[in-house]
Structure formats: structure tokens, C-alpha cells
């Protein structure tokens, strides 16, 4: 099954060797007709400010390059590093995929996720989707945006859509997407009797994080950790929801009242829970007298099946009215392209989608105009920012480490990270822990617009790029070697140490797919 191509695709949508060759030919023709006017001021070069400090081939058509800043800029801890992996589909049979590790509901390090990919370790990988933990009750997370793995939706994302990157047929495709999951009730013949749009998948009912999932969601600002009231997070509550947990969840389903914030009460209802097997047959929560019994949590999802949790009178009544004898249930996963409504994304096992929230870096070669601010991190005097524990931070906190995935003008996949200082190792090769809170590698990267301007320089030539989860999440591996320093900080007692942060998913380049004949693109 293939993804239909919308008629109105811009140049960035018409990726591939034919479009790239046509683009290069046009550029060549323009160059030959420009005559004497070509002796203009030289265009900016990456090498004006960066030095290539390492390069090697990972596989045919896949290269890794490290660049180091020529000089440390003002207020920075050290020279920055730019790590770049380029995969050329014209030279080698490679593809781009994602992995959630052991579960879509928990965070794992990029190292752990890549090590679990079979049959061989990926050539290169980076951290992927934006996510938030579901505090304060344990290990589960929510995707902040549309997230899909092998055609199965693991996060529906924001009500009005969000930036995301589709991985299919070996190449990334960036657009504003919105996923939906519909619960279908089928009769004995397999015909749809009725259906209901679910509120989300693989998260606690009643409390979405980061953005509204439905029109009835009510925003609340709460402490991410109740013991740390200054670290706020946006919670969107809805007291009437049906949420599905699919077989990628790989955790016991959540119990009621796991959110201990006093202002978040929508998850307190006992609700109803219905288990569904791979054939669509379901087990209703009834007692010996045939009466529905309230309660939820602690169920494991069977392979190919799912579990439903309903909270609120309307949601509960809908289940009771429609889940009658002789019927089966099915989940219909869909993703809409909100930029190009005619573009049909057919979800099958070849499709992965990474959640990028609101942040596009480059759009058809132009720096994106997405709002890129972190003013919320500044103190009331507008001059300094502080950690919730009172430790100091530089005034340019928005210069986080960054991770991106994109396409260059030749149709090649580009993975890149920009970070601050690398790990400092002692004589035994162990990472030296920072002595105070001023050693924050994770904030010594780049503003988003600054990163975008670097990516589009001629040596990299990126035309389309999305900003993935960054800061302490930024990580790049080539084979089994970590190319980025540890960018997260963990406090242990009175000291801090640098660690590799567990993340929601990872994007990787691996062997496979189909090499294209004719050698390298122009």
C-alpha cells in the first residue's frame, strides 16, 4: 500500500531523485546564464564558523560528520558540536524507521531502544517525539502530538493538530497532522452498527498533558511534581472520556485517582473497563446478576487486542447501551494531513509518525515562522532565569541542545544535533560529574532559528526540517557509539550528575529498502 501524493504538493513534498535532479538541473542552468553577475559576494558557509572534526562512512550512502565551532561564543560554556548523519537513497539501500523500545507507555534511553532493534543494530539513531510523564504516579508517559508506530496510533495529539514527521518508504515527510482513533461496534456480519470517536489512546482518562485533545477539555496549570510547585505543566481535564489502550502499551492499565493534584479530579471516577481480544470479542465488567460493576485498572492488553476505560456518565452509558450480545469491537486508526487535506496517509505497517509539537525549523528552504519562545523561563525582572531549586542559569536558556530530522535539496535524509560541551572523562574513562549547577550542557545548544539557519547553509543544504525533543533529551548514536555528550542533569542528594535521559521513542537509519540506480544524486 502506498501513500497518495496530493496534487498541490510544493517542491518540499515532491521529494525523491527525479525532483532533486530537476531541481539541480534548474540550478545549473541558472548558473550558466548568470554570466558576469555570478561574481557576487560569496554566500555564507558553514566552514566560516565551524571546523570539520571527524567523518566516517557508516554504510554505502550513509555518512557521519562532526563539526566543532572555531571559537567559543560569548556566555557559552564551551565550543559547540554539530553532529550530522546523511543517508543517500541513491547510493545505498537504507530506510528510516522508529522504535518505542519495550513499550509506547514508558521512556527508555536511545541506547536501550536501538539495542533492541532486530535483526541488526541501526546505523544511526536520534531521540524523537516530544512527551511528558504522567506524574506523579509512576512510569507512564503521554506523547505530545501525533505518534504512530507500524501503523498503530499511540498518541492522537492535539485537537487542532501539530507538526509531525511521517516515516514511510525510507524518507521523512513533514506536515501538520491530527490522528483519530474510532471505536467501531460491529454486528455478527461484520457491518458497523455504530461508532464513537475516542478521546485518546494509551493515557490516563480525564487528564491530557500539553494540549487539548477534545473540545470539552478544560485547561489547568498544575505543578509537574506536587513537591515542586514552581515547575508547572499544562493539564487538560475532561470528566467524560473513553480511552483505549492498545497492545503497544505493555503496562497494566491505570487505576483511578492516580493524579494526586487537588485541582485535578477528573481521573478520580472508578469508571468502567472493557477488555477486547484480537478477534474483537469483549469481556464486560458484570457481576453474577448481569449488572455492570464500576472499577478499572490492572489489566494487561493481549496481543492484537485492546482495553477500553470509560469515565463520566455519558461515556459509561454509551458503553452500556452499545456493547450488547453478538457484537464485536474494532479500532479504526486514521491520520489527517491538515496542510494538504487531499493527501491520504494510509496507515499500514510501513508507517511511523514522530510527534514534533509546534516546531518546524525549515519549510521549503525557509526558516519557519513558528513561535519559538521560552519567556516562561525568565524571572519577573526579564534578565535572569533560575532553576526551581534556586540554582543559577545563563540568561540565554532558550539555547537548548537541539535534535532535528529533515531532507536536503538532493532528497537525502539528514539527522543532526547541536550540543554544548562533550562529556569530560577521568583517567578511567568515566564521566566527570559537574561540581555545580552552572555546568549545563543541555542548555548550551542553539536557538531554534539559529539552528535552522545553520542547517540550510550550503554544506548541509537542508530544505525541510522539524525540531524534535531537545534539551536534556538530545542524543545521537552511530552504531553503538554515543556521539553527543550527556545533556541531562540528575540530582542525587546534594550533587548533580550528567545522564542520558530516557525518551519516548527513537528515530533510526538502518539497512534495507531499495537502492536507486544511477549513482549519487546531482
Amino acid at each position: 500500500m502506498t501513500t497518495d501524493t496530493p496534487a498541490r504538493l510544493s517542491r518540499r513534498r515532491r521529494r525523491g531523485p527525479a525532483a532533486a535532479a530537476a531541481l539541480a538541473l534548474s540550478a545549473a542552468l541558472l548558473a550558466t546564464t548568470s554570466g558576469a553577475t555570478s561574481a557576487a559576494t560569496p554566500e555564507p558557509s558553514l566552514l566560516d564558523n565551524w571546523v570539520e572534526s571527524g567523518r566516517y562512512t557508516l554504510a554505502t550512502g550513509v555518512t557521519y560528520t562532526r563539526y566543532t565551532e572555531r571559537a567559543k561564543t560569548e556566555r557559552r560554556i564551551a565550543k559547540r558540536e554539530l553532529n550530522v548523519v546523511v543517508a543517500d537513497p541513491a547510493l545505498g539501500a537504507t530506510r528510516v524507521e522508529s522504535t518505542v523500545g519495550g513499550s509506547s507507555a514508558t521512556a527508555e534511553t536511545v541506547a536501550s531502544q536501538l539495542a533492541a532493534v532486530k535483526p541488526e543494530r541501526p546505523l544511526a539513531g536520534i531521540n524523537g517525539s516530544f512527551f511528558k510523564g504522567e506524574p506523579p504516579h509512576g512510569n507512564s508517559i503521554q506523547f505530545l502530538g501525533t505518534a504512530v508506530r507500524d501503523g498503530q496510533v499511540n498518541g492522537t495529539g492535539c485537537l487542532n493538530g501539530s507538526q509531525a514527521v511521517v516515516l514511510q518508504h525510507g524518507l521523512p515527510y513533514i506536515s501538520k497532522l491530527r490522528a483519530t482513533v474510532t471505536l467501531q461496534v460491529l454486528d455478527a456480519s461484520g457491518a458497523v452498527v455504530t461508532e464513537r470517536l475516542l478521546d485518546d489512546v494509551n493515557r490516563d482518562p480525564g487528564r491530557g498533558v500539553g494540549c487539548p485533545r477534545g473540545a470539552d477539555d478544560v485547561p489547568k496549570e498544575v505543578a509537574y511534581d506536587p513537591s515542586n510547585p514552581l515547575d508547572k505543566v499544562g493539564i487538560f481535564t475532561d470528566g467524560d472520556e473513553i480511552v483505549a489502550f492498545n497492545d503497544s502499551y505493555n503496562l497494566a492499565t491505570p487505576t483511578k485517582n492516580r493524579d494526586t493534584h487537588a485541582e485535578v479530579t477528573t481521573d478520580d471516577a472508578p469508571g468502567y473497563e472493557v477488555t477486547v481480544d484480537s478477534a474483537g470479542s469483549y469481556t464486560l465488567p458484570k457481576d453474577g446478576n448481569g449488572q455492570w460493576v464500576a472499577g478499572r485498572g490492572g489489566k494487561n492488553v493481549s496481543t492484537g487486542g485492546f482495553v477500553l476505560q470509560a469515565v463520566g456518565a455519558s461515556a459509561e452509558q454509551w458503553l452500556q447501551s452499545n456493547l450488547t450480545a453478538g457484537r464485536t469491537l474494532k479500532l479504526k486508526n486514521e491520520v489527517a494531513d491538515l496542510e494538504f487535506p487531499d493527501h491520504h496517509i494510509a496507515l499500514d505497517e510501513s508507517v511511523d509518525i514522530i510527534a514534533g509539537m509546534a516546531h518546524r525549523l525549515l519549510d521549503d528552504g525557509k526558516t519557519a515562522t513558528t513561535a519559538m519562545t521560552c519567556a516562561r523561563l525568565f524571572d519577573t525582572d526579564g534578565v535572569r532565569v533560575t532553576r526551581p531549586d534556586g540554582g543559577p542559569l545563563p540568561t540565554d536558556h532558550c539555547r537548548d541542545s537541539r535534535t532535528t530530522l529533515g531532507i536536503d535539496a538532493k532528497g537525502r535524509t539528514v539527522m543532526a544535533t547541536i550540543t554544548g560541551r562533550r562529556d569530560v572523562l577521568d583517567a578511567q574513562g568515566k564521566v566527570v560529574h559537574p561540581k555545580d549547577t552552572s555546568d549545563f550542557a543541555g542548555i548550551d545548544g542553539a536557538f531554534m532559528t539559529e539552528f535552522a539557519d545553520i542547517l540550510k547553509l550550503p554544506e548541509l543544504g537542508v530544505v525541510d526540517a522539524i525540531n524534535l525533543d531537545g534539551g536534556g533529551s538530545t542524543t545521537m548514536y552511530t552504531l553503538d557509539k554515543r556521539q553527543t555528550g550527556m545533556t541531562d542533569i540528575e540530582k542525587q542528594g546534594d550533587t548533580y550528575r550528567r545522564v542520558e535521559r530516557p525518551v519516548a521513542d527513537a528515530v533510526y537509519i538502518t539497512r534495507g529498502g531499495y537502492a536507486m540506480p544511477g549513482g549519487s544524486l546531482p
Side-chain angles (χ1 to χ4, degrees):
M1 188 177 295
T2 60
T3 300
D4 300 332
T5 302
R8 295 176 292 142
L9 295 186
S10 65
R11 186 189 73 202
R12 66 183 173 85
R13 305 293 186 206
R14 300 194 305 269
R15 299 190 183 100
L23 179 62
L25 178 60
S26 298
L29 289 173
L30 287 172
T32 58
T33 57
S34 60
T37 60
S38 62
T41 303
E43 62 180 329
S45 168
L46 179 68
L47 300 180
D48 291 342
N49 299 309
W50 298 80
V51 177
E52 185 179 310
S53 53
R55 176 189 292 262
Y56 57 86
T57 299
L58 299 170
T60 302
V62 184
T63 59
Y64 162 76
T65 308
R66 178 185 298 155
Y67 299 91
T68 305
E69 269 190 310
R70 290 186 180 273
K72 183 176 76 70
T73 54
E74 184 182 1
R75 297 194 307 274
R76 294 195 183 280
I77 298 170
K79 295 178 181 180
R80 292 177 295 174
E81 286 192 355
L82 180 65
N83 292 283
V84 182
V85 172
V86 178
D88 189 339
L91 294 180
T94 59
R95 66 184 191 276
V96 187
E97 300 222 22
S98 77
T99 174
V100 295
S103 168
S104 65
T106 57
E108 298 178 33
T109 63
V110 173
S112 173
Q113 294 189 44
L114 296 182
V117 174
K118 304 299 180 185
E120 64 178 358
R121 191 180 184 95
L123 300 169
I126 52 176
N127 61 289
S129 296
F130 283 84
F131 70 101
K132 270 290 188 182
E134 295 189 299
H137 59 62
N139 298 324
S140 60
I141 63 169
Q142 291 183 33
F143 285 92
L144 299 184
T146 299
V148 174
R149 167 67 179 158
D150 289 347
Q152 180 171 257
V153 174
N154 292 319
T156 59
C158 306
L159 175 63
N160 297 319
S162 56
Q163 296 293 326
V165 55
V166 180
L167 308 178
Q168 187 180 37
H169 307 314
L171 294 172
Y173 160 78
I174 302 167
S175 194
K176 186 176 182 180
L177 306 178
R178 166 74 168 124
T180 56
V181 177
T182 302
L183 177 63
Q184 295 182 319
V185 181
L186 314 177
D187 64 18
S189 70
V192 176
V193 177
T194 187
E195 59 185 19
R196 177 180 173 122
L197 186 68
L198 297 183
D199 293 88
D200 211 340
V201 292
N202 296 348
R203 69 151 169 90
D204 290 4
R207 54 179 310 282
V209 178
C211 63
R213 270 51 166 199
D216 297 328
D217 286 8
V218 177
K220 294 180 181 293
E221 285 291 320
V222 301
Y224 184 67
D225 179 345
S227 66
N228 189 354
L230 296 180
D231 189 9
K232 297 289 188 179
V233 63
I235 298 289
F236 291 82
T237 63
D238 184 352
D240 210 316
E241 289 192 335
I242 300 179
V243 172
F245 299 85
N246 59 41
D247 61 3
S248 76
Y249 188 70
N250 207 24
L251 285 179
T253 55
T255 57
K256 71 169 186 173
N257 198 27
R258 295 209 299 176
D259 192 322
T260 57
H261 293 105
E263 58 269 64
V264 178
T265 61
T266 57
D267 71 326
D268 297 350
Y272 290 135
E273 186 168 60
V274 176
T275 58
V276 186
D277 64 21
S278 59
S281 298
Y282 46 84
T283 302
L284 299 179
K286 290 186 176 182
D287 62 18
N289 297 319
Q291 299 298 309
W292 282 62
V293 178
R296 57 191 172 92
K299 299 290 194 305
N300 293 312
V301 185
S302 62
T303 301
F306 56 94
V307 173
L308 299 172
Q309 286 194 352
V311 295
S314 176
E316 294 170 4
Q317 180 59 43
W318 191 91
L319 287 184
Q320 289 180 308
S321 299
N322 291 288
L323 274 57
T324 57
R327 295 179 172 182
T328 57
L329 299 177
K330 181 181 179 180
L331 295 182
K332 181 174 71 174
N333 293 257
E334 296 178 296
V335 173
D337 187 330
L338 302 186
E339 289 188 41
F340 294 93
D342 294 336
H343 179 204
H344 175 58
I345 301 175
L347 293 184
D348 57 30
E349 290 188 356
S350 71
V351 178
D352 297 344
I353 298 178
I354 306 299
M357 286 296 288
H359 307 308
R360 175 84 62 84
L361 292 176
L362 290 169
D363 189 352
D364 202 13
K366 298 178 181 179
T367 300
T369 57
T370 308
M372 299 177 182
T373 178
C374 51
R376 62 184 175 82
L377 297 172
F378 282 80
D379 283 345
T380 54
D381 62 8
V383 176
R384 295 187 60 82
V385 290
T386 59
R387 289 176 52 84
D389 61 10
L393 287 177
T395 57
D396 55 352
H397 186 92
C398 294
R399 281 178 167 163
D400 281 348
S401 294
R402 303 288 178 195
T403 305
T404 189
L405 179 68
I407 289 282
D408 69 11
K410 296 181 179 181
R412 301 177 299 190
T413 297
V414 178
M415 291 178 170
T417 61
I418 188 166
T419 56
R421 56 169 289 178
R422 292 184 61 78
D423 299 339
V424 177
L425 305 180
D426 61 19
Q428 288 73 44
K430 295 183 179 180
V431 176
V432 176
H433 298 168
K435 296 180 180 179
D436 57 49
T437 59
S438 66
D439 188 6
F440 282 86
I443 64 170
D444 211 19
F447 293 107
M448 290 191 199
T449 51
E450 178 188 7
F451 192 24
D453 289 341
I454 291 171
L455 293 170
K456 67 183 182 183
L457 290 171
E459 289 80 2
L460 301 179
V462 179
V463 294
D464 236 355
I466 191 169
N467 181 69
L468 300 179
D469 192 16
S473 297
T474 292
T475 307
M476 177 184 283
Y477 273 83
T478 56
L479 299 173
D480 60 352
K481 180 177 177 59
R482 181 164 48 82
Q483 298 294 356
T484 49
M486 291 186 181
T487 54
D488 199 15
I489 299 293
E490 181 178 86
K491 187 175 182 180
Q492 292 190 340
D494 295 329
T495 64
Y496 294 83
R497 69 187 188 102
R498 294 171 64 182
V499 296
E500 183 177 332
R501 176 184 292 174
V503 295
D505 55 15
V507 182
Y508 63 88
I509 296 171
T510 190
R511 291 182 176 89
Y514 300 91
M516 303 179 66
S520 179
L521 299 173

